Each structure stands twice: as C-alpha cells, then as structure tokens.
C-alpha cells in the first residue's frame, strides 16, 4: 500500500543534511511552505543551497532560515523586496552567495530538471550581464542563451489538498513554483493544508500527480503570513 | 528647461497609455508605475491581464473586506479574478510570456535607447542585492513592449538615450514610450515623436532627450492637414 | 469583447491555405478533431505538412485527409497501427514524406515551440538512427541529442468544454497532445463538444487558457470514432 | 535443441515478471506482451500503472458494458482508472518518463545485447512505415528497464546477443530480461542467469543464447546452500 503521509514535520524532513540543495515553493508569502522551513530551522541543517523565487520577508519562513545563518547560497530571481532585511544584511556582509536567474529561466531550468531535459536555449537575457560567459546560438534568426537543468536534493512544497498517494492541488496563486519544484528534486516533501481520502480529488484536476511526491505532512496552517 | 508646460502625472501617463490598448489584448503590466494602467483600462474593452506568478484575467484590487489571502499579483498585492480567468503554474506562466502569447507588456525603465534597447532592472553592476524577476522574459517575449516612465530623471538627466549606460534588460525590444511629456515610437529611424503635450515644442522636448527626435510620418500628415 | 466562437467549420478554418503546417491533436481516435479534419478535406487545401502522433486508421478523420492526397509530409511518432492503410499505401508508393520522431521528443518539441524555447537537449534517441546527423552533447555525465522547437501554422484541437474566451477542458485521455499543440501554432482552432458560458469553468482547472486559442467551433460530435 | 523442458507461455512469463514488482512502484507496461503483466500484478500490492498517452493509475480493461469511450491506453485499448489516478497532457506524460520518475518500464524486444543495449522498435533500416512511439523515451527514462520476450525467434535465432544487429532503441539500458526459459540480469559481467526453468541446464540455455551466460552470485550461493 502506498501511504506517503507522515505524522510530523520531523519525519517529513528526515534525512535532510548539511549542504543539501533545497527548492522552496511560493511566490512571496503565498504558497511558501513556512512550517517545513521552520522545521529546517529547528533541524539546524547548515551550508544549504536554496532555490526559490524570493528571499523572504520579515522574520518568518525563508527569512528566518536566512537569519539563522543556515544558507550558503541562494538561487533566485527577486531577492529584494519590502522587508527582505535578512537577505540584504547577509548579502551586504558577503555572507551569502547569490545566483540571480531571470524568473522564467529559473522556472524553465526547474521544469527541465523534472522532465529529464539536460539543457535548453532561451532568448531571455541574451546580450545582458545575466548571460555573461554563457554559450549562445542563433536559432530561427534569433539569438538564444544556453541554460542548464537545475535539479535539487529536496523540494519543499505547499499544497492545498493532498491524499495518501501524494496527489496534490493548490489554491489560486499559491500554485506558482510548487508543481514544477515537486518534479525536480530527489526528495519532494509536501506541507498540505488539507488531507483528503484517496479518490476525493478529481483525476482530471490533480495538479501534481503523486508520482512526484515522497512525503506529505498535514499542516492546516491558514492564510499566508506576511 | 525653458518650458512652462505642465508635465503629466504618473496617473495621467498611465491613462494615456491605457487608452491605446485595443479590445481583446492580453497584457502584462510590470510592477511599479505600469500597474497603474489597470485603473484606466477603457470601458467596453475586454483586456485580459496576465500576472507572472500565474494568473490570466486578473481584476482590480479587492474591497478591504473582500481580500482573498491566496490571490496576489506579481507585485505581491492582493487582486481579484475576472470572470473567465484562470491559473497556471510558473513554467506555464513564463511559457505564455516567452512564447510570444502576450500582445503587450508595459514596463518601467531607467533608460531606453534609440534602437529599442531597454535598461530597467539594475542601475549598476555592483548594486547591492540586485533583483531581476520576470523583466528579461517579458521584454523578449511580448509582441509589443511599451515603456512607461518619466522623460528624465529627477535631476533632469534624459532617460531616452543613444545607448543605454545601465545594465541591459533586453536588446531592441521597445516599440513605444509613454512619458510625462510625449508618446514616442521606436522605429528603424530611431525615436519618432507621435504625440507631445500641447504647447511643448519639439526643440524643448529634444533638449530633454539624449538622442535625435524625429517627427513621425503620421504626425507630419496630421500637421499638414491641421 | 472577446468572442472566439465561430458558427461554422468553414469559418473556423478560414485562411488555411496550401502548404500549411498543421498540428492535429489526438492519440489514436481519442481527442482527434475529426470534424475539423473533415473540413480540411472539404476545403481541399493541398501539400500540407501534418504534425500528429498517429497517422489515422480506417477511412475517417486523418486517414481520410491522407487518402485524399492532401498531405505532402507527416511528422509523427507512430504512423503504423491497426487500420493505418491510407498512410501505408501512400508511404509504400513514395507519395508521402515521413519524419519519424520519438513520442516524447515530439511532445517536447511542440511544447518548446509554444514556450519560446528554441531548442533543447534530450537523452532520448542518443546513439540510435533517429539521432543520425544530430548534434550531441554530454551534460552531467549523460549523452544528449539537440532537438529544435517544432511550431506550426495551425493547430486543430478537440476540447470537451470551451467558452467564448477560448478557455478549454479535455475529457480523460482525450487530453493528450491537444493542450500543447494549442500553444504552438500561429492559429489555434478548437472543436469543442460543449460550449459553456464564461465563468462556468473553474479558474483552477482550466486546462488550456484562452490566450492560446483563436477560434472555437461547437461540435457535439459524440464519442471517438474508430 | 536437445531440451525437453516445456517453455513458459507468454502469460506465465508475464506472471513471473509481475511477481517481482515491489509494492508502491510506478510502472509503464509497453504495448504488446508487456501489457499482459497488468493481469498478474500480485494481490495486496499497490502498483501504479502509467500510460504514455497521459494516465497515472490505469486499471484493467472494463466490462463490455462499462466501456468509457474516452479512456484508452497507449495500445489504444479501453481501460479503467483506479481510485487515486490522474490525467496529464503529453508533454507532462513524457516529463514523467524522461525525468526518471518511473520505477520500472517493461518492454518487448527483438534483441538485447550483453551490455544492455536494446533493439525493439524496428527490424530494418529500410522498413516500410516504421514506427517508434514512446519506446526510446521509456528506455532512457525509467529507473529500471526489464524486457519480456521469447528467448529466441520462432526459427530459433537467439534474441540475447553480444551486439544488437537491429536498429537500437537505447544504449545500455536493460537491467533484466524475462524470457520463456529464464530470468537473466544484465550486469557489468554481461548476462547473469538469475533463474532457469526447472530441468533446464545452463548448457542448454547457452545454446539458445548468442553471448556468454554467467551464473549470478546470488544463484551460486543458492546452489551452494541447496
């Protein structure tokens, strides 16, 4: 029998060690799996590489993980935002590495990793600093930049509903990076607002099929914070 | 600078730009000033707004008592959904952008060059905590890229230039610029003035512009007849 | 107002001329837009390039178009099947060109076209005849083949439900190639079993957002034939 | 060939293979003989079947009066859905395959070489109407590739060879072969016999095999103890 549901955040994060690369879903606070991030803080894993869109705000969620000094490197598109004080303090002090990636290229690199595509050519960033040193190629009369798949050891995902097979749905703009990150990591851990019985989710509208998911922990967390 | 003409407010520029968006267009409004365009979309036209975080058919801000906590736009502000809207994940959202499916993207800018080069994401290569978000994808992907910006910086330095000095966002993509003084097309000839504030002379506008201004063919005809 | 609904198959196919490249959805008979294909036969457009998974069976749908001698070239993964007599007769007589593409590579090339990705590296077919003459590259210790985006002039799609914005859903395994083909053509035409009022489809479960669709024709066609 | 041992039927080989599939695996069964495996999945194990055309959690064939016309498998036969199943489109279905998310793919074959090379899609480079489907994607993508085939052709030509003479499907991918005579692992040493029909000698099996057979370490130990 397939049962991916685990009963605690600790069990959900078991085996995640120092130096892991970790994708974290969410766009701003919406769809960001804060409880799992808090679990990472409690766990104390260090030297992490974090792959995510933003770099957190305030002192909760991702910002808390950054402030705890557990992150060596962040790969993201938009670290600067209202309240991104934790990131900015680390960055200005030279205590965190930043790989800045255009948002669409970040999404596509994550998707490529999940889809077994080794690399791809995108027109985005051609001729800019963010393509500096990268291979380029003219395709169909247009200049493109070569970008590589971006896999991770772990993906932390926030879902709206999940069942014991790991099938998930998301809520409104909480979908964002969550479904693609779920496909791109060796270990995909879902924090779900609701647990539902197998068969509750309509097969036509499952957004993340369970094949991509390893563990589900029920966290009726409520509305996005911050 | 010798002109007594009153420059348009940001809201007025946004309204001027909005009036040019045809019925049925799919449009992304960049964060910052371009977001104001949403408030001035002409009555009677169905214009579908896209948001990078995965929304098509985004509506205006909700009444304070009708906020949906899971529904935010790319600027991380709460929004609403229009009837007919839909959600997509991040890779699909940027497939929409990069794949050329948006009719229009409206972006803010630090500088636009006469060849259509755009600089809007960073003011220096040594900036602290740089952030790019979806700007580079939007700039290369949309069928039309219109820029909404002040004609000069606060200290009077022209933003329309022969060549961008700030880091580039994309090469040769801008087709039209709406400033607080004029509407200017970017053509093979360079900057072509499509419209100026009443009372403003081409000479006065040229003074605030660091590349040659041409009178557009359409405007010439208008002058001849008017 | 956006209204993509047209009242006849003729109107749905207006403007499609000789030598067009046309994607046709479906896997076997399920999800194959037979009424639109019949419309192509009636229209008599010739010298077509067809992009699809199978090559039809019996004497309906795609097989009928082939038998009518309107197709110069077919790009597909599995032309041979029970009843694919029309294709086999043409192929054996040297009267049709075949570009055989592994099914996943076909799907990915179509998706790439819709997503603005110029080309990609896939491990599929490395070292086989189907990679003959293609560029290869080792990425992360694994050999890959370079494959290019495959766009088309037209995509013919069968949907289950559609609204006037062109938002679509599909039924069960009728989904298959339809959603990705809808993204990859200059003109996307949908044959839908049901028309629904705008707002009927749940924004969370629209499978093809209307931005990808140009025309919708209502065809309560019934179950897949053949 | 000197052996009086009765070879297994296709059904018996399918059942033998099925008994080795662990609980919880995600499995794709290739068209043809591998499809039979579905009929012998062990009771009490939840095994999730994937079908290339976009199904996860495929169930057995329906009763004649319960056919769902829109629900077919990759072999274009009507199937059912298990509770917990879901549908995906073609690009996502092959992202599952190529991205390494399937635990197992069972394929038929014309030949398997001792280095794991697989030839299963074409018997000649001049074949009329060749067809490849998803075979090449499945072969490179699944974590385990098991082949189910007759040990020799009808005329007695061995299918297990030093080197494939037929066009390749993929290089070095097969890890185990289930034939009507034996179960054979493909290891760094080449073919290792894991299991033979009772009464069959290694010499008799070698006679029907065109590459050296080794006794697997596991089997040796078994012999020593038994």
């Amino acid at each position: 029998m397939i049962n991916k549901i685990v009963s605690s955040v600790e069990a959900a994060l078991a085996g995640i060690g120092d130096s892991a690369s970790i994708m974290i879903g969410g766009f701003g606070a919406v769809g960001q799996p804060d409880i799992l991030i808090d679990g990472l803080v409690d766990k104390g894993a260090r030297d992490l590489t974090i792959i995510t869109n933003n770099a957190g705000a305030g002192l909760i969620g991702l910002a808390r993980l950054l402030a705890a000094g557990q992150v060596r490197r962040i790969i993201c598109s938009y670290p600067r935002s209202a309240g991104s004080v934790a990131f900015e303090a680390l960055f200005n002090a030279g205590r965190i590495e930043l790989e800045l990636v255009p948002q669409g290229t970040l999404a596509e690199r994550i998707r490529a990793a999940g889809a077994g595509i080794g690399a791809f050519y995108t027109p985005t960033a051609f001729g800019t600093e963010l393509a500096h040193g990268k291979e380029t190629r003219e395709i169909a009369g247009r200049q493109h930049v070569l970008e590589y798949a971006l896999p991770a050891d772990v993906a932390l995902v926030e879902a709206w509903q999940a069942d014991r097979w790991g099938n998930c749905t998301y809520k409104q703009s909480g979908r964002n990076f969550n479904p693609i990150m779920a496909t791109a990591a060796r270990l995909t851990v879902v924090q779900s607002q609701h647990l539902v019985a197998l068969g509750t989710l309509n097969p036509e509208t499952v957004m993340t099929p369970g094949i991509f998911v390893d563990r589900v922990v029920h966290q009726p967390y409520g509305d996005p914070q911050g | 600078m010798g002109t007594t003409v009153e420059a348009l407010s940001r809201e007025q520029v946004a309204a001027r730009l909005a009036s040019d968006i045809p019925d049925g267009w799919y449009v992304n409004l960049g964060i910052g000033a371009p977001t104001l365009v949403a408030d001035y979309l002409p009555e009677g036209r169905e214009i579908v707004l896209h948001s990078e975080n995965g929304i098509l058919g985004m509506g205006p801000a909700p009444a304070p008592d009708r906020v949906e906590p899971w529904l935010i736009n790319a600027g991380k502000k709460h929004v609403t959904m229009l009837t007919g809207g839909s959600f997509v994940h991040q890779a699909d959202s940027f497939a929409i952008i990069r794949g050329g499916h948006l009719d229009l993207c409206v972006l803010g800018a630090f500088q636009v060059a006469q060849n259509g080069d755009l600089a809007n994401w960073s003011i220096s290569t040594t900036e602290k905590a740089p952030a790019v978000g979806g700007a580079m994808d939007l700039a290369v992907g949309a069928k039309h890229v219109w820029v909404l910006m002040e004609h000069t910086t606060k200290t009077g330095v022209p933003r329309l230039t022969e060549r961008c000095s700030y880091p580039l966002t994309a090469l040769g993509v801008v087709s039209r610029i709406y400033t607080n003084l004029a509407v200017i097309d970017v053509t093979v000839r360079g900057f072509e003035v499509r419209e100026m504030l009443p009372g403003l002379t081409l000479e006065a506008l040229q003074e605030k512009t660091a590349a040659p201004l041409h009178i557009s063919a359409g405007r010439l005809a208008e002058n001849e007849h008017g």
Side-chain angles (χ1 to χ4, degrees), chain A, chain B:
Chain A
M1 178 167 134
I2 299 171
N3 187 5
K4 299 182 177 178
I5 299 166
V6 298
S7 55
S8 70
V9 170
E10 237 184 318
L13 300 177
I16 301 175
D18 290 352
S19 304
S21 57
I22 304 182
M23 291 176 174
I24 300 182
F27 181 90
V30 178
Q32 186 177 274
D34 284 344
I35 301 286
L36 294 177
I37 299 171
D38 283 347
L40 272 184
V41 175
D42 294 345
K43 207 176 165 65
R46 304 193 79 75
D47 222 19
L48 303 174
T49 294
I50 299 296
I51 300 163
T52 187
N53 192 59
N54 306 109
L59 283 170
I60 58 163
L62 180 53
R64 200 176 148 225
L65 185 71
L66 291 169
Q70 295 173 254
V71 180
R72 183 177 60 79
R73 175 177 168 77
I74 188 163
I75 303 175
C76 70
S77 90
Y78 211 83
R80 189 181 57 214
S81 65
S84 58
V85 288
F87 169 77
E88 285 175 51
L90 288 168
F91 186 79
N92 293 338
R95 289 179 50 220
I96 192 166
E97 293 167 35
L98 169 66
E99 180 179 343
L100 194 68
V101 182
Q103 193 172 336
T105 300
L106 181 65
E108 192 68 11
R109 289 179 64 194
I110 293 167
R111 183 211 171 255
I117 297 298
F120 57 88
Y121 289 97
T122 174
T124 300
F126 177 81
T128 76
E129 280 174 21
L130 296 189
H132 186 71
K134 294 184 176 175
E135 272 185 59
T136 62
R137 179 187 292 247
E138 188 176 318
I139 301 170
R142 193 167 195 200
Q143 294 292 345
H144 291 70
V145 178
L146 180 64
E147 291 283 356
Y148 289 89
L150 180 62
D153 297 321
V154 181
L156 304 184
V157 164
E158 189 187 44
W160 183 247
Q161 297 167 298
D163 63 27
R164 69 174 171 85
W165 277 19
N167 294 310
C168 298
T169 67
Y170 304 93
K171 187 174 170 73
Q172 297 176 329
S173 64
R175 190 179 305 184
N176 58 65
F177 281 89
N178 284 302
I180 54 173
M181 288 181 171
T183 71
R186 271 180 288 281
L187 174 69
T188 293
V189 182
V190 172
Q191 160 189 335
S192 184
Q193 294 266 353
H194 304 280
L195 275 191
V196 298
L198 199 69
T200 305
L201 301 179
N202 181 346
E204 309 258 21
T205 60
V206 166
M207 289 296 151
T208 289
I211 191 169
F212 296 120
V213 172
D214 298 288
R215 300 172 189 163
V216 173
V217 62
H218 184 205
Q219 290 292 334
Y221 177 61
D223 295 339
Q225 304 294 304
Chain B
M1 293 286 200
T3 168
T4 56
V5 172
E6 176 128 16
L8 297 181
S9 67
R10 279 175 14 143
E11 287 72 16
Q12 287 173 310
V13 182
R16 174 64 195 85
L17 187 153
S19 72
D20 283 348
I21 303 177
D23 190 22
W25 272 25
Y26 293 87
V27 178
N28 183 295
L29 302 175
I31 58 179
T35 307
L36 293 172
V37 172
D39 297 335
Y40 299 96
L41 295 175
E43 292 281 327
R45 294 184 207 168
E46 270 190 331
I47 291 165
V48 180
L49 297 184
H50 169 267
S51 181
E52 294 96 295
N53 57 325
I55 307 175
L56 276 162
M58 189 169 56
D65 59 334
R66 301 290 297 272
V67 167
E68 296 257 25
W70 295 78
L71 190 47
I72 62 169
N73 65 12
K76 302 178 185 82
K77 304 281 184 255
H78 287 111
V79 292
T80 52
M81 287 293 279
L82 297 187
T83 299
S86 55
F87 295 102
V88 294
H89 66 51
Q90 206 59 201
D92 283 348
S93 183
F94 280 84
I96 288 172
I97 293 171
R98 203 193 303 104
H101 304 285
L102 293 174
D103 295 296
L104 171 65
C105 175
V106 182
L107 293 170
F110 299 128
Q111 293 176 326
V112 177
Q114 60 186 352
N115 64 354
D117 285 359
L118 172 67
N120 84 338
W121 72 280
S122 172
I123 51 169
S124 122
T125 60
T126 57
E127 190 181 8
K128 51 182 187 171
V132 63
M136 289 187 178
D137 306 281
L138 286 162
V140 301
K143 288 177 195 158
H144 301 86
V145 176
W146 293 352
V147 161
L148 186 160
M149 65 180 184
E150 306 276 300
H151 206 88
T152 65
T153 67
K154 278 174 197 153
T155 59
V157 180
R159 293 184 182 277
L160 288 83
T161 70
E162 292 201 342
R163 215 161 149 248
C164 294
S165 59
Y166 290 150
L168 290 176
T169 304
L171 278 63
V173 296
V174 177
S175 60
R176 194 178 290 170
I177 306 159
Y178 292 79
T179 79
N180 49 341
L181 299 179
V183 180
I184 293 170
D185 283 331
V186 182
T187 75
V188 286
R189 292 206 296 161
F191 292 130
E192 287 194 6
V193 180
R194 191 185 176 83
E195 192 175 304
M196 289 185 290
L197 282 188
L200 188 65
T201 64
L202 187 65
E203 292 66 33
L205 190 65
Q206 181 67 72
E207 224 171 87
K208 296 170 183 293
T209 308
L213 293 175
H214 306 273
I215 293 293
S216 78
R219 191 176 158 78
L220 271 177
E222 204 175 281
N223 285 351
E224 280 162 8
H225 294 289

